[in-house]
Amino acid sequence: MTQEQIKLIQKSWLYVIDKADEAGLLFYKRLFEVEPNVRSLFRENIEKQGRKLIDVLNWIVLNLQDIDTALDAAKELARRHVKYGVEVEHYPLIGHTLIWTLGKIIGKEWTKELEQTWIKAYETLAQVMIEEHKKSKSFEYLVRYLEQELSQIISDLFAANPDILGIVISTNKGATVSRCSFSNYSNIIASVVSSTIGHAKRLCELAGAGNILETKITGSQVQLYICMAGPHSAIGILYPTKSYEGMITLLLRKAAEKIKTLLLTFP
């Protein structure tokens, strides 16, 4: 886009920002009127949703001279749309609705030149958003696949030893899974596994020592055994202190190797 086109968009945007609430609401009303099926994708109050949209667009428009900043905002908007369930084929619909809304809000100052300039700007941003959308969609699919595979490892461990009370696999790849005999244990164990390994790594770095690969937290009735599964994850197994620890340790180490191998296939 040329500087003249950027200035034209920014000047016309002043009409919109003066009627921000009206513009956001008008956009979504028009969107749902043209394509009623997308209504279910937006669960928040539409007035609130409209304000969020205008806020993001405002940030993009104000930063058009700084293209990297504008594109970063567009990418964030695309990632948010993925969470809503918006698909790539919705982008032309969003573009048509945006242009229609701008025309209604700006009114008599909405010229053919201004319309074409906005269309060009949207098409440029939409292309970036679609690429980011596809990346995010692909990553979400991989995370779901990883969660399914990790859940299967947990199921196999429970089947191998009935003494196990809880298992958590914590990763820095967007997937953390857990299963416990008592539901209130689940989040606690996940937190302990993640924080224990993190603290252990920092202590090792400060001491100039090698990483701690395994650690135990022993209570009066239960014991939590934690094992690293490569540099990106850890697994913890909670079991009664009277259990046969040798079997637990063997199962845990084998599971850690499976997790490590699985994560090698993950980007």
Side-chain angles (χ1 to χ4, degrees):
M1 294 181 65
T2 66
Q3 287 299 313
E4 289 74 18
Q5 289 172 325
I6 291 174
K7 288 179 181 177
L8 187 61
I9 284 177
Q10 290 178 334
K11 182 178 179 181
S12 66
W13 183 250
L14 295 175
Y15 292 96
V16 181
I17 208 64
D18 280 344
K19 301 178 180 179
D21 288 345
E22 180 184 345
L25 192 57
L26 186 62
F27 172 88
Y28 282 107
K29 281 185 175 180
R30 176 64 174 178
L31 183 67
F32 302 150
E33 179 183 304
V34 175
E35 185 51 74
N37 290 335
V38 302
R39 178 64 183 87
S40 61
L41 301 179
F42 300 90
R43 298 176 183 176
E44 284 191 349
N45 177 280
I46 295 307
E47 291 184 2
K48 184 178 179 181
Q49 191 74 46
R51 284 193 293 270
K52 284 184 177 180
L53 175 68
I54 297 301
D55 285 344
V56 174
L57 290 176
N58 187 53
W59 180 255
I60 292 173
V61 171
L62 292 179
N63 286 280
L64 284 176
Q65 279 95 347
D66 182 359
I67 192 62
D68 289 338
T69 299
L71 292 181
D72 284 345
K75 290 176 182 178
E76 172 58 30
L77 186 59
R79 290 191 289 270
R80 191 180 301 170
H81 280 168
V82 169
K83 294 177 181 178
Y84 294 149
V86 172
E87 300 293 346
V88 167
E89 54 266 28
H90 291 139
Y91 277 87
L93 171 63
I94 292 171
H96 291 316
T97 305
L98 175 63
I99 298 303
W100 180 89
T101 303
L102 291 171
K104 290 294 183 181
I105 293 294
I106 293 173
K108 63 181 181 180
E109 300 298 327
W110 184 251
T111 64
K112 193 65 178 177
E113 179 189 6
L114 181 56
E115 181 181 4
Q116 290 303 313
T117 302
W118 267 103
I119 290 173
K120 182 178 180 180
Y122 176 78
E123 288 176 347
T124 300
L125 291 174
Q127 187 57 46
V128 173
M129 292 173 70
I130 288 171
E131 291 175 4
E132 187 67 22
H133 186 105
K134 290 178 178 178
K135 288 180 184 177
S136 298
K137 196 78 171 175
S138 175
F139 182 76
E140 280 200 351
Y141 171 80
L142 288 172
V143 169
R144 286 197 297 271
Y145 166 77
L146 180 58
E147 287 175 342
Q148 289 172 356
E149 293 298 308
L150 295 177
S151 293
Q152 185 58 53
I153 291 174
I154 286 178
S155 294
D156 293 343
L157 286 169
F158 269 107
N161 193 312
D163 285 346
I164 294 174
L165 299 175
I167 304 171
V168 62
I169 303 173
S170 180
T171 80
N172 62 1
K173 296 291 186 177
T176 293
V177 295
S178 61
R179 190 183 307 170
C180 296
S181 301
F182 303 98
S183 59
N184 59 328
Y185 277 9
S186 184
N187 290 335
I188 296 173
I189 300 174
S191 177
V192 170
V193 170
S194 300
S195 61
T196 299
I197 292 298
H199 291 318
K201 281 185 175 181
R202 285 190 288 275
L203 287 171
C204 288
E205 288 172 0
L206 289 172
N211 284 337
I212 294 175
L213 299 179
E214 297 181 19
T215 186
K216 298 176 188 176
I217 301 173
T218 304
S220 59
Q221 297 181 338
V222 294
Q223 182 160 287
L224 177 62
Y225 201 125
I226 304 172
C227 178
M228 288 296 294
H232 303 297
S233 64
I235 178 172
I237 296 183
L238 185 73
Y239 56 94
T241 52
K242 294 180 180 180
S243 299
Y244 180 50
E245 191 172 306
M247 177 61 72
I248 297 291
T249 303
L250 180 62
L251 289 173
L252 185 142
R253 290 174 181 172
K254 285 185 176 180
E257 284 303 313
K258 288 182 181 179
I259 297 165
K260 183 178 178 181
T261 301
L262 176 62
L263 288 179
L264 289 176
T265 67
F266 198 82

